[in-house]
Amino acid sequence: MPGSIIIAHDKSAFSIYLAEIIQKAGYIVFHTHNVQETLQSTEINNPELLILATNLQKSSGFDLCKKLKGIEEIRNTPVIFISSENEPAKELGFLAGGVDFITPPVNPKEFIARIRTHIKIARGIKTSEAESQRLLAEIKDCRKVEEALLKSEKKFKLLSHSSSKMLELPDPNSIYKYISSELQSHLPNTIIIIVSMNEANGEGQAIEIAGIDSKFYEFVVSVAGINPLERKFKLMPKITELLRSGNLIEFDQRLEALCGEDFPVYAARIIEKVVGMNKLYLIGISHNNTLLSSIHFITTKDTIIRDADFIESFLKIAGIVIQKKIAEISLKKNEDKLLKLNASKDKLFAIIGHDLRNPFNTILGFTDLLLESIENQKLDKTEKFVSLIGASAKSAYSLLQNLLDWAKTQSGQLHMQKEQIDLSELIREICFVYNPEAKRKDITIVSNHQEASVIYADSNLLKIIMRNLIGNAIKYSYRNGGIEVRTEDKRDHIKISVIDNGIGMTEEVFNRLFEFTGNDSVEGTENEKGSGLGLILCKEFIEMHGGKLLVETKSGKGSRFSFTLPKLNY
């Protein structure tokens, strides 16, 4: 949901222009013109982002930013500077705590894209910090529970050690193993069964069994004809409600009363008889009303569990720690997602700032030369200038198309729509599109494919893959060279190859082929530019189809790019 943004600027007309752009994107805008107004507005409106001019009335935007960063409540609020100054001003802005720097004139789409990216990152950081604080509070509550419930020094030390140990473990599964080991050491003549529970889909499954010899367990399984560790079962609502209390319950019914339709009653009776069950106890491990798992205690040899308070305290701590580990794993995924988003933003800005700007600089420069040559009636140069302008425009368009496709993959907006495709027809279409470009370098494209090849793939993604591979082959082929598009019909898939006899790749270039930096792509044989983004798209789209991109190359001898796609009905 869009939030509020403060614009602190001493040029009201420019401020109003920026406000209009931002308001059209759905954000609430507040105007300020000096330090005092900005501080007051920030305290009242709690903005999600601030836009500061480097020069304000009787003050510096950099000094204002430093003051804002000193306020705890808004220290993580992103600040964007706007100025007509050069690089030294940018350095001062970043040193003051700014996250971005924009100089007029402002491109509205790029401006809003930057705002949205910074706000999204800031929200993610805020959520992570809030979650961390919540988890810290829960750990403190955990210690209070320990102190309130422990009645002996021995039990207190044991629980304290156990909580510390569980916090050191990496994931819930390792914690469950530790729980079964610890309970087994304190409960002789007791079989302990830990059952993982998923209330969302109403299923449970035994994941740990302790207190029984492995050979004896194999004997029990062979006699009962069922292995509890290999079978999921439906949860019984009445039992789950009993477990949710977190209290140790002496179950006054037999083992078969716990069996739903997925676990045969006869098997429960056999297990009960073979192990010599005396009593059955149940307890749930839960946190915040979420049932995570249950533990079944089957005692033998007249054994009775008398230390319920210790078990309940131990498992309450375990529930908090398990939930914490689940939250940590979720936070780690969110952190990785935020890092990826930030890296994607940096890559995008690098391309926009370098690769996308260069073709337009060329177009603008040669447009001026073209106009001059027409005015001076030097028409012999006109064709050359038009050709260069066309090449630059095509380069910019290709890069922009790849940028749009790549942005969709990074934002998760790209969804495959597989369909039956006549591969030979698709290859003919792509070759036809690229023939004029190949002819400009006197390059011949030969198609050698199976006429009846039918595959199951996303047509649009496959066209992007083929466009990039054939376009690269033309770019890195010499004049009078040749390119072959070949398909090979395998048992369950089709192998597609684009082969050229161009410049090939050195070992250094090959090793960083899929390491995108946005500005170090090798130039073509006639100085054609590129960003390296096309091959990354090819690799991602091929892997989305379950295929793999294979590269064979030798410097000075050419390259072969191959990939596989599933046949129809496979």
Side-chain angles (χ1 to χ4, degrees), residues 163-214:
S163 62
S164 299
K165 182 66 178 177
M166 286 187 287
L167 285 168
E168 293 172 1
L169 296 173
D171 53 52
N173 286 337
S174 57
I175 295 173
Y176 285 129
K177 288 182 182 294
Y178 176 78
I179 290 171
S180 66
S181 174
E182 285 296 299
L183 291 176
Q184 182 187 358
S185 66
H186 292 286
L187 298 171
N189 304 320
T190 303
I191 298 171
I192 300 164
I193 305 172
I194 300 181
V195 178
S196 175
M197 310 185 85
N198 187 334
E199 288 192 280
N201 59 19
E203 288 185 340
Q205 182 174 10
I207 56 174
E208 284 290 328
I209 297 181
I212 184 171
D213 180 80
S214 59

Side-chain angles (χ1 to χ4, degrees), residues 418 454 456 490-493 565-570:
K418 289 186 176 182
V454 178
Y456 190 58
K490 305 295 184 181
R491 188 181 69 85
D492 59 351
H493 66 271
L565 290 174
K567 282 185 183 178
L568 186 63
N569 298 327
Y570 276 89

Side-chain angles (χ1 to χ4, degrees), residues 15 45 95 100 155 172-173 205 212 353 359 387-388 398 424 429 472 506 525 537:
S15 177
N45 299 307
L95 289 174
D100 209 341
K155 290 178 182 178
N173 286 337
Q205 182 174 10
I212 184 171
S387 176
L388 291 169
S398 177
S424 58
E429 177 186 335
N472 280 350
T506 63
T525 54
L537 282 174

Side-chain angles (χ1 to χ4, degrees), residues 89-126:
K90 285 187 178 181
E91 183 178 352
L92 290 172
F94 291 126
L95 289 174
V99 296
D100 209 341
F101 207 100
I102 298 175
T103 56
V106 173
N107 181 307
K109 289 184 179 179
E110 178 186 339
F111 182 49
I112 292 302
R114 291 190 183 192
I115 286 174
R116 285 175 176 157
T117 298
H118 290 306
I119 288 177
K120 190 171 185 179
I121 292 171
R123 285 176 178 174
I125 292 171
K126 187 176 181 181

